[in-house]
Amino acid sequence: GPLAGSLLEIPDTVPLCDFRLDERHGRRPIAESLDPFVCGISGRTVLVPQLKDRVDHLAKGLAQHVGWVANDGTEFDKVAVIFAPNTIDTLTISWAIHRLNGLSSPANAVYSAEELQYQLDISRATVLFTVPSLLPIALRAASKCNLNQDHVIICEMPGEPQSSKGFRTVSNLIEQGATLPELDVLRWTKAQGRRQTAFLCFSSGTSGTPKAVMISHYNVIANVLQIQLFEQHMRDAIEPGYRDVTLGLMPFSHIYGLVAICHIAVYRGDSIIVLPKFVFKDFLASIERFKINTLSVVPPIIITMVKNKALCDQFNLTSVRQIMTGAAPLGQETAQEFASQYSNWVTRQGYGMTETATAVTNTSPFDVWLGSSGCLLSGVEAKLLSPEGTEISAYNTPGELLVKAPSVVLGYLNNPKANAETFVDMADGRFVKTGDEVEFRKSPAGNEHVWVVDRIKELIKVKGLQVAPAELEACLLEHLAVADCAVIPVADERAGELPKAFVVKSAAVATDDENVVKQSILKRVEKAKSRHKWLAGGVEFVDIIPKSPSGKILRRLLRDLERERRRD
Ligand code: 4UU
């Protein structure tokens, strides 16, 4: 394609907080009059100079409050978890942590105390940011991992109390920090800069329970530049100086919201309209109110729009130029139906994963092929492997996708086994196994497109969010009535997929009433896990869970069986 071979020069000595906002790194900073963050509820904005000041002041206030020293130890000694819905300050908090050579680990705001505790434990966080409404859950998790209560910091949320008794707020620390002497400017060597971890996001990868993914500053900068390079000529074609007013609805705790929405938008000088949760009418009203021109969503939102066209028509959505979807498959028929309803919009798709610090592919508006995930970004090398491990070079032939790119992450924290399985050294470099079944197809316009045809790995995607079967199986096995179990995805029109459990009842259970046992099993999951992990695909009792000779659950077999049954 036109982008192949484009040269990418990726800065490797710059922390994310200085990457674009600061002239010191030789790039023209973005105009001070721009507003990277706009609160979709209150309308409050954060302008470029405010963002810079808030990052600097928060870093200083935080350093004093929790005793962090920027040039002491490594980033793994200074880990903070951010447990909050999207706010106009979420990126400020991460960048303040980075300013101190620390590490930010964003957690999904829907998490239960148990899930948050897991993230605090694995990341070894010693500081926790949260919002007033989530404080009880945050404190329950914090107390279980001995996190100092003084290190729980409140981030203000529109519509919630502005403070919580006895807790520091982000505003307190910013005020405190404003009075403190300047911090040293961060300077890294090239080698250090390429290894400096910025974020610990969680992903289960191709198997097992969620793992902390080490995402470097360099990885994020690389992906931002890859996306930018891919899109700049389209933006130029619209009008010189074109800016996105983009929807900030996807969780900033997930790689999609974090990199492909937040970091790319700030880098380019776009505006992000920040919305903390999906309420369909609010979503439509925000598009109208803020004249949003770029929507970044997941397939279930596309489906909701298709099914509720009459409601959509009550709002003025004429500002929208394009809609981007990713994180889960968008069926070709749904895409076609949607595109015919919104024929003035460009319907685009991106494919990627946490382990590639987001995007691997993207759709060019000049070659929209509905159902395809688009073309490889420049800087990406891809391979397809057959189940036998031979390389596939033919078009229209499925295989597992392996990817080499500057955004491929450093690896999983403290998990050599998963690293060895997922990140493979080949003759032509280090590749990540995606666990996705993909075909390369030539588009009518003659470009090579990536079609995601199936998922090989265990992962379940509910509304674009990860659900790890192994995590649910571990939870189920704690239930006395469960002797053995396996969790698989079942197709769902709205959510994409839902988790379903096959359960072998324990001989020890007194009651024969399967329904009573089932309800009790469902309750256990509902108590321990966030809603998207609930067994909405059902619980089915079986006599045996199929396993390989080495004892691995044959989830694929169960999944195919279930697909067969549903087809009948
Ligand atoms: C079929 O979901 C993500 C990343 C989403 C993303 C990527 C590029 C959004 C916008 C963009 O431009 O990350 P994870 O780690 O939560 O989940 C990764 C998995 C993939 O391995 C694949 O199975 O999510 C699935 N997936 C997709 N599946 C991601 N994007 C797609 C897609 N079609 N377009």
Side-chain angles (χ1 to χ4, degrees):
L3 302 163
S6 301
L7 276 182
L8 264 180
E9 203 189 302
I10 303 157
D12 48 15
T13 58
V14 187
L16 280 165
C17 53
D18 287 348
F19 167 48
R20 184 62 204 277
L21 294 182
D22 199 319
E23 227 169 349
R24 278 174 297 196
H25 296 285
R27 313 182 104 72
R28 194 162 48 86
I30 52 177
E32 305 236 311
S33 59
L34 299 182
D35 47 354
F37 291 100
V38 178
C39 177
I41 294 167
S42 68
R44 229 187 96 203
T45 59
V46 179
L47 300 169
V48 169
Q50 293 168 329
L51 178 58
K52 283 197 235 180
D53 285 349
R54 289 174 79 78
V55 169
D56 271 1
H57 298 165
L58 180 58
K60 290 188 283 179
L62 182 63
Q64 189 176 64
H65 182 62
V66 304
W68 281 356
V69 180
N71 51 14
D72 185 35
T74 76
E75 67 271 35
F76 295 97
D77 307 324
K78 285 168 282 196
V79 182
V81 164
I82 307 174
F83 175 52
N86 293 356
T87 79
I88 51 175
D89 282 328
T90 315
L91 192 72
T92 301
I93 298 170
S94 283
W95 283 6
I97 297 161
H98 294 157
R99 198 71 193 73
L100 299 168
N101 265 321
L103 220 171
S104 161
S105 184
N108 196 318
V110 300
Y111 273 0
S112 67
E114 186 188 295
E115 291 164 324
L116 179 61
Q117 185 198 338
Y118 178 82
Q119 182 157 343
L120 290 168
D121 277 336
I122 302 268
S123 66
R124 299 196 183 134
T126 54
V127 173
L128 174 57
F129 287 87
T130 192
V131 295
S133 60
L134 296 179
L135 188 59
I137 298 175
L139 289 177
R140 223 178 309 146
S143 69
K144 291 208 171 124
C145 20
N146 294 322
L147 190 141
N148 182 343
Q149 260 212 22
D150 270 355
H151 292 189
V152 176
I153 297 158
I154 301 288
C155 173
E156 290 90 342
M157 255 316 265
E160 294 188 8
Q162 287 309 292
S163 62
S164 299
K165 217 173 172 353
F167 290 90
R168 291 299 170 96
T169 64
V170 166
S171 300
N172 293 153
L173 295 182
I174 286 175
E175 280 163 32
Q176 184 182 337
T179 64
L180 296 171
E182 286 307 309
L183 285 166
D184 281 343
V185 177
L186 294 184
R187 282 183 212 288
W188 297 330
T189 62
K190 195 181 167 84
Q192 197 184 8
R194 292 213 173 182
R195 306 253 358 135
Q196 182 81 18
T197 307
F199 295 104
L200 291 177
C201 288
F202 280 68
S203 167
S204 62
T206 53
S207 69
T209 46
K211 296 168 265 292
V213 181
M214 297 185 286
I215 302 167
S216 65
H217 291 253
Y218 176 82
N219 290 148
V220 176
I221 292 172
N223 206 244
V224 163
L225 291 175
Q226 287 175 285
I227 298 172
Q228 159 66 11
L229 190 64
F230 189 89
E231 293 190 340
Q232 188 53 51
H233 69 288
M234 310 162 196
R235 291 163 70 100
D236 291 343
I238 299 169
E239 66 194 35
Y242 168 83
R243 293 178 68 215
D244 271 348
V245 178
T246 190
L247 175 74
L249 171 65
M250 297 297 102
F252 296 167
S253 52
H254 182 239
I255 198 73
Y256 185 3
L258 185 66
V259 177
I261 296 177
C262 259
H263 280 87
I264 183 79
V266 175
Y267 172 77
R268 297 199 289 217
D270 297 336
S271 275
I272 306 168
I273 310 303
V274 180
L275 289 182
K277 65 170 188 233
F278 181 66
V279 179
F280 190 44
K281 271 192 169 170
D282 295 353
F283 158 82
L284 296 170
S286 301
I287 298 172
E288 178 178 302
R289 174 175 171 203
F290 295 99
K291 299 193 167 54
I292 295 177
N293 57 23
T294 297
L295 300 174
S296 295
V297 302
V298 283
I301 297 183
I302 300 259
I303 291 163
T304 306
M305 292 186 76
V306 167
K307 292 199 178 292
N308 297 281
K309 184 75 170 71
L311 182 60
C312 295
D313 286 344
Q314 290 173 25
F315 294 85
N316 180 353
L317 308 181
T318 51
S319 55
V320 179
R321 283 174 182 278
Q322 56 176 344
I323 185 161
M324 171 67 118
T325 136
L330 176 69
Q332 189 173 23
E333 275 171 34
T334 310
Q336 282 165 346
E337 196 174 341
F338 179 82
S340 68
Q341 283 181 7
Y342 296 92
S343 52
N344 292 330
W345 301 6
V346 182
T347 303
R348 298 174 61 188
Q349 203 177 150
Y351 159 85
M353 54 201 292
T354 309
E355 288 81 352
T356 58
T358 326
V360 171
T361 73
N362 203 318
T363 305
S364 159
F366 305 121
D367 187 15
V368 176
W369 193 13
L370 296 168
S372 142
S373 285
C375 304
L376 294 174
L377 300 182
S378 51
V380 176
E381 279 173 52
K383 256 190 225 302
L384 285 193
L385 291 188
S386 71
E388 296 74 39
T390 54
E391 203 172 329
I392 298 166
S393 54
Y395 284 117
N396 309 315
T397 312
E400 181 180 6
L401 178 69
L402 279 79
V403 168
K404 176 185 164 187
S407 71
V408 172
V409 299
L410 300 173
Y412 300 115
L413 178 66
N414 297 328
N415 202 328
K417 187 168 168 280
N419 284 336
E421 282 166 7
T422 313
F423 302 94
V424 287
D425 285 314
M426 309 187 88
D428 47 350
R430 176 174 177 264
F431 284 74
V432 61
K433 286 170 105 167
T434 64
D436 291 309
E437 190 169 69
V438 157
E439 283 181 18
F440 287 111
R441 300 184 193 164
K442 200 144 214 165
S443 73
N447 298 313
E448 185 172 275
H449 279 238
V450 174
W451 284 70
V452 179
V453 293
D454 204 354
R455 199 179 303 126
I456 304 161
K457 57 188 168 190
E458 295 174 9
L459 178 67
I460 305 171
K461 274 285 176 115
V462 180
K463 297 182 175 168
L465 293 171
Q466 290 204 2
V467 177
E471 178 188 346
L472 288 180
E473 287 155 8
C475 173
L476 292 172
L477 283 172
E478 287 168 14
H479 194 290
L480 274 180
V482 178
D484 202 358
C485 65
V487 174
I488 58 151
V490 293
D492 179 79
E493 199 190 3
R494 285 194 180 255
E497 291 173 344
L498 292 170
K500 167 173 181 173
F502 290 90
V503 169
V504 178
K505 257 187 307 173
S506 143
V509 286
T511 173
D512 286 335
D513 188 341
E514 289 208 333
N515 202 35
V516 172
V517 179
K518 191 183 281 184
Q519 291 311 319
S520 154
I521 288 172
L522 289 174
K523 275 235 175 62
R524 152 133 224 126
V525 175
E526 288 167 18
K527 193 160 164 269
K529 305 292 174 186
S530 43
R531 182 179 280 269
H532 65 282
K533 298 181 188 171
W534 295 1
L535 295 170
V539 174
E540 182 176 334
F541 294 107
V542 289
D543 293 333
I544 194 165
I545 300 293
K547 298 214 173 126
S548 72
S550 64
K552 272 181 84 173
I553 299 172
L554 297 173
R555 290 190 192 76
R556 187 87 193 235
L557 202 134
L558 287 169
R559 196 193 66 177
D560 291 346
L561 192 87
E562 187 72 18
R563 281 184 184 174
E564 266 321 303
R565 276 179 173 175
R566 282 169 184 248
R567 218 168 280 146
D568 294 342

